[in-house]
C-alpha cells in the first residue's frame, strides 16, 4: 500500500509499505477524508518528537472499516467511522487511573504518526477498535468529520483543563483551529467574556462566530498588558493556551487573576524550559494553576462530540478553509499547513 511518510526530520514523501495486520481486537480502515494538523508540521519539520524514519504521517481522518479482528463486537467491514487522533489501550493501568492518553507511557496513547504509522495511507491500523472507533453519524459530511479527530476534542480539552465555569472571563491564546474550538467550548460552558489572541483575519472572523468578543494581537505589544488594560487591571479567570511558545506561559500567568487556571493544549515544539514569573505567580502562593494535557481520545468522547455536531449544536464547518480532492493533493495540503497563508484555517483532503 502507499503512504505519505516522514522519511527523516525535514524530509517527506510517498513510500510503499505492507498493509498492517489486524489483531483480534483491532480494525483495519481506509480513509474517506484526512486533515493535516499543525502537529504534523512540528513532527516533520521541527523534529519535536525526535527522529522517525519512514513513518507514515497523519492522525486526523474519518474512515471506512475494511477488516475487524475476531473479538471486535461493535464494528464490521463497511461501517463509516469517526477516528480519534488518540487511541489509548483501554485496559492499561494509566487508563484505569484516568489518564488514557498516557496509556503505556507519557503521551503513548497518541500512536498514529508517533509510535506507529498514521492515517495518510491507503489502509491504517486501529488498536482496540471497540474502545476507540465511533460510528459516523449519517448527517455529518466526511470532510467535517475530520475535525472530530483532534480539533474539537483538543480545543474542548483546553476548556476542561482550564476548568471554565459560568460567567468566567476567558483568555484564549491562539485561534487556529484548536483555539477556535476552545473558544466554542468556553462559550458552551458559559463564559461571559472571551478574549481571543490571534491575527489571521479568517481566524478572527471565525472566533467571533464561535463567541469571542474581544481581540488582541500578540504582535502589538505584550499579551498581558493588553489583557490587563481590557479588564481594569484585574486579569482573567481562565486562560486556554492553543498557540505561541514556551514564553507564552509568562504572559498567561501575568494575565491571570489569583486562583485562576491555565489549560494548555499547545504542542511546545521547541525550546528547553517554560519560565514561570515569580512575582506574578504570587511568589509561589498565588493559586495560579497550570495544567497541560493531551486530549484523552477514545470512543465515548468521539460519540459525544459527534452527537453535538450531529444535533446542530456545534458547527465545525467554518474550520475547513481548504478542501482538496484525491491523495495527489496531500503534499500540497501539508505544505500549506506548514506555510500558514493568511486565508488558512484547516486543509482537508477527500479520498
Ligand atoms: P495554528 O498555527 O493554526 O494557530 C496558532 C495560533 O496561535 C494562531 O492564532 C496564531 O496567530 C497564534 N500565535 C502564533 N504565535 C503566537 C504568539 N507568539 N503568541 C500568541 N499567539 C500566537 O495552530 P493549531 O490551532 O492548528 O494548533 C495549535 C497548537 O495545538 C499546535 O501547537 C498544535 O500542534 C497543538 N495541538 C495539540 C494537540 C493536543 O492534543 N494537545 C492536538 C493537536 C494540536 P496568527 O493568527 O497570527 O497565526
Ligand atoms: Zn492533530
Amino acid at each position: 500500500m502507499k503512504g505519505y511518510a516522514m522519511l527523516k526530520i525535514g524530509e517527506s514523501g510517498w513510500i510503499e509499505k505492507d498493509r498492517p495486520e489486524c489483531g483480534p481486537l483491532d480494525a483495519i480502515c481506509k480513509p474517506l477524508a484526512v486533515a493535516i494538523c499543525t502537529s504534523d508540521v512540528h513532527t516533520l519539520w521541527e523534529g519535536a518528537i525526535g527522529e522517525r524514519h519512514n513513518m507514515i504521517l497523519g492522525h486526523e481522518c474519518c474512515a471506512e472499516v475494511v477488516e475487524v479482528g475476531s473479538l471486535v463486537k461493535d464494528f464490521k467491514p463497511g461501517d463509516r467511522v469517526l477516528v480519534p487522533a488518540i487511541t489509548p489501550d483501554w485496559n492499561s493501568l494509566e487508563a484505569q487511573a484516568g489518564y488514557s492518553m498516557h496509556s503505556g507511557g507519557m503521551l503513548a496513547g497518541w500512536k498514529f504518526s508517533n509510535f506507529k504509522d498514521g492515517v495518510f495511507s491507503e489502509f491504517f491500523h486501529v488498536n482496540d477498535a471497540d474502545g476507540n472507533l465511533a460510528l459516523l453519524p449519517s448527517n455529518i459530511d466526511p470532510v467535517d468529520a475530520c475535525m472530530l479527530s483532534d480539533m474539537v476534542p483538543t480545543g474542548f480539552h483546553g476548556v476542561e483543563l482550564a476548568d471554565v465555569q459560568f460567567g468566567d472571563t476567558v483568555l484564549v491564546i491562539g485561534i487556529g483551529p484548536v483555539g477556535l474550538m476552545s473558544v466554542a467550548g468556553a462559550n458552551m460552558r458559559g463564559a461571559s467574556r472571551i478574549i481571543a489572541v490571534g491575527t489571521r483575519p479568517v481566524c478572527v472572523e471565525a472566533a467571533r462566530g464561535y463567541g469571542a468578543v474581544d481581540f488582541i494581537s500578540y504582535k502589538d505589544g505584550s499579551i498581558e498588558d493588553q489583557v490587563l488594560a481590557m479588564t481594569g487591571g484585574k486579569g482573567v479567570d481562565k486562560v486556554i493556551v492553543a498557540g505561541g511558545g514556551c514564553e507564552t506561559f509568562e504572559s498567561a500567568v501575568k494575565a491571570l487573576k489569583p486562583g485562576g487556571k491555565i489549560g494548555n493544549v499547545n504542542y511546545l515544539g521547541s525550546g528547553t524550559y517554560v519560565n514561570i514569573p515569580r512575582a506574578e505567580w504570587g511568589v509561589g502562593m498565588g493559586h495560579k494553576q497550570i495544567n497541560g494535557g493531551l486530549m484523552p481520545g477514545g470512543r465515548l468522547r468521539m460519540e459525544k462530540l459527534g452527537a453535538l455536531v450531529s444535533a446542530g449544536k456545534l458547527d465545525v464547518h467554518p474550520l475547513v478553509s481548504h478542501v482538496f480532492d484525491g491523495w495527489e493533493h496531500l503534499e500540497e495540503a501539508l505544505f500549506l499547513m506548514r506555510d500558514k497563508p493568511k486565508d488558512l484555517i484547516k486543509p482537508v483532503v477527500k479520498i
Side-chain angles (χ1 to χ4, degrees), residues 268-289:
L268 298 173
S270 54
T272 308
Y273 293 105
V274 170
N275 290 320
I276 307 303
R278 182 189 61 84
E280 290 85 354
W281 204 41
V283 292
M285 297 178 285
H287 290 102
K288 296 190 181 186
Q289 285 183 32

Side-chain angles (χ1 to χ4, degrees), residues 1 11 13 57 63 70 99 141 146 179 187 211 227 246 248 256 264 279 331-332:
M1 64 172 197
E11 254 181 56
L57 288 163
S70 56
Y99 293 96
D141 185 272
C146 292
N187 198 41
V227 170
C246 290
T248 304
L256 198 60
N264 175 69
E331 187 164 79
E332 189 183 343

Side-chain angles (χ1 to χ4, degrees), residues 36-42 59-60 85-86 150-151 153-155 157 173-180 197-201 203-204 217-219 223 241-245 247-248 264-269 293-296 337 340 342 344-346:
I36 321 288
C37 185
T38 304
S39 301
D40 294 312
V41 174
H42 291 309
H59 54 264
E60 298 183 12
I86 309 302
D150 195 1
M151 298 300 95
T154 296
H157 194 48
I173 303 181
I175 46 169
V178 172
L180 285 171
V197 181
T199 67
R200 274 177 278 161
C203 295
V204 168
S217 165
Y218 58 93
K219 295 174 182 167
I223 294 172
V241 183
E247 69 290 350
T248 304
N264 175 69
V265 285
N266 195 18
Y267 173 161
L268 298 173
L294 181 68
M295 66 94 160
M337 202 59 176
K340 300 259 157 88
K342 286 213 168 331
L344 180 86
I345 303 183
K346 195 82 177 169

Side-chain angles (χ1 to χ4, degrees), residues 204-275:
V204 168
E205 192 191 318
R208 193 169 277 122
Y210 285 124
V213 286
D214 295 296
F215 292 88
I216 283 177
S217 165
Y218 58 93
K219 295 174 182 167
D220 292 346
S222 84
I223 294 172
E224 64 273 23
D225 287 350
Q226 297 183 69
V227 170
L228 291 171
M230 277 181 172
T231 56
K234 287 195 159 62
V236 296
D237 298 297
K238 306 288 161 60
V239 181
I240 300 167
V241 183
C246 290
E247 69 290 350
T248 304
F249 291 86
E250 199 169 326
S251 295
V253 169
K254 289 178 177 172
L256 198 60
K257 287 181 191 169
K261 293 179 185 169
I262 297 171
N264 175 69
V265 285
N266 195 18
Y267 173 161
L268 298 173
S270 54
T272 308
Y273 293 105
V274 170
N275 290 320

Side-chain angles (χ1 to χ4, degrees), residues 75-90:
F75 298 92
K76 58 183 187 317
D79 284 345
R80 287 152 70 96
V81 287
L82 298 168
V83 184
I86 309 302
T87 52
D89 298 310
W90 288 98

Side-chain angles (χ1 to χ4, degrees), residues 82 134-135 137 148 152 156 298-311 314:
L82 298 168
L135 288 175
L148 284 157
V152 181
F156 278 31
R299 172 177 176 175
L300 182 62
R301 195 161 277 252
M302 281 297 99
E303 286 187 351
K304 288 193 173 183
L305 297 177
L308 267 184
V309 175
S310 179
L314 173 67

